[in-house]
Amino acid sequence: VIAEVVGRERPEEVVLIGCHLDSWDLGTGAVDDGAGCGIVVGAAHLILSLAEAPRRTIRVVLYGAEEVGVLGGRAYAERYADEMDQHILAAESDFGADRIWRFETRFGEGALPYARAIQQMLEPLGISPGPNSAYGGPDISMLPGLGVPVVSPRQNGWDYFDLHHTPDDTFDKIERDK
């Protein structure tokens, strides 16, 4: 599932935000990855409510088949292979619904000032800067190899693996206020 908010100044440049729709067969997939999709769709809703469109196109991708081989991510990379130079940033939400505590990047050497600028904007929110070694997430993990800068918003995952791929992965585990 792909939706876009077309940019007002540089519509050909894409900022990708994504998650995955499928879950493991033991639970409902609320934490893995319904929460991620809620975060991404919520971000898109906030972007749409702005007084003016963003400068660049925001592409929201809800990938399928992550749990069975990252098939949606691979299909996206193949379909848009000729446009990867227009992807200026990609991020994925796939670690539950808790607060972000660190922001990791994977930018080329020349773009590190941009990474630092983003991290500095997030510090007042209690989000610390992380290393420049992010992989982005499973569905976008192939994009750095294609030259796309990625970021990883690291969330508190203290109980993530207690729920991940278990029958306990249900909506009642998500605290909406976070």
Side-chain angles (χ1 to χ4, degrees), residues 1 19-22 61-73 139:
V1 177
C19 62
H20 68 89
L21 289 170
D22 64 329
V61 182
L62 310 182
Y63 295 95
E66 185 264 357
E67 299 291 359
V68 295
V70 194
L71 303 179
D139 292 301

Side-chain angles (χ1 to χ4, degrees), residues 31-66:
V31 173
D32 182 26
D33 188 30
C37 289
I39 290 166
V40 168
V41 170
H45 177 73
L46 290 172
I47 292 164
L48 284 169
S49 70
L50 296 172
E52 61 182 349
R55 289 182 176 168
R56 294 167 176 86
T57 295
I58 308 297
R59 183 173 292 164
V60 179
V61 182
L62 310 182
Y63 295 95
E66 185 264 357

Side-chain angles (χ1 to χ4, degrees), residues 148-163:
V148 178
V150 298
V151 298
S152 292
R154 293 294 181 198
Q155 292 169 262
N156 178 350
W158 69 272
D159 65 349
Y160 182 78
F161 288 106
D162 294 335
L163 306 170

Side-chain angles (χ1 to χ4, degrees), residues 21-163:
L21 289 170
D22 64 329
S23 65
W24 204 247
D25 61 350
L26 296 174
T28 66
V31 173
D32 182 26
D33 188 30
C37 289
I39 290 166
V40 168
V41 170
H45 177 73
L46 290 172
I47 292 164
L48 284 169
S49 70
L50 296 172
E52 61 182 349
R55 289 182 176 168
R56 294 167 176 86
T57 295
I58 308 297
R59 183 173 292 164
V60 179
V61 182
L62 310 182
Y63 295 95
E66 185 264 357
E67 299 291 359
V68 295
V70 194
L71 303 179
R74 294 178 201 280
Y76 181 90
E78 288 174 21
R79 179 175 179 194
Y80 293 98
D82 293 340
E83 300 173 27
M84 285 298 149
D85 61 332
Q86 296 171 331
H87 286 66
I88 62 164
L89 185 69
E92 180 175 350
S93 182
D94 182 22
F95 201 65
D98 216 323
R99 295 187 188 279
I100 297 170
W101 63 277
R102 185 169 70 187
F103 192 79
E104 299 176 2
T105 61
R106 185 179 222 168
F107 286 29
E109 195 67 35
L112 284 176
Y114 297 112
R116 289 188 191 102
I118 295 169
Q119 290 171 331
Q120 287 172 350
M121 284 187 266
L122 295 172
E123 281 186 288
L125 300 173
I127 301 170
S128 66
N132 192 44
S133 57
Y135 92 108
D139 292 301
I140 64 170
S141 62
M142 64 289 304
L143 299 185
L146 300 172
V148 178
V150 298
V151 298
S152 292
R154 293 294 181 198
Q155 292 169 262
N156 178 350
W158 69 272
D159 65 349
Y160 182 78
F161 288 106
D162 294 335
L163 306 170

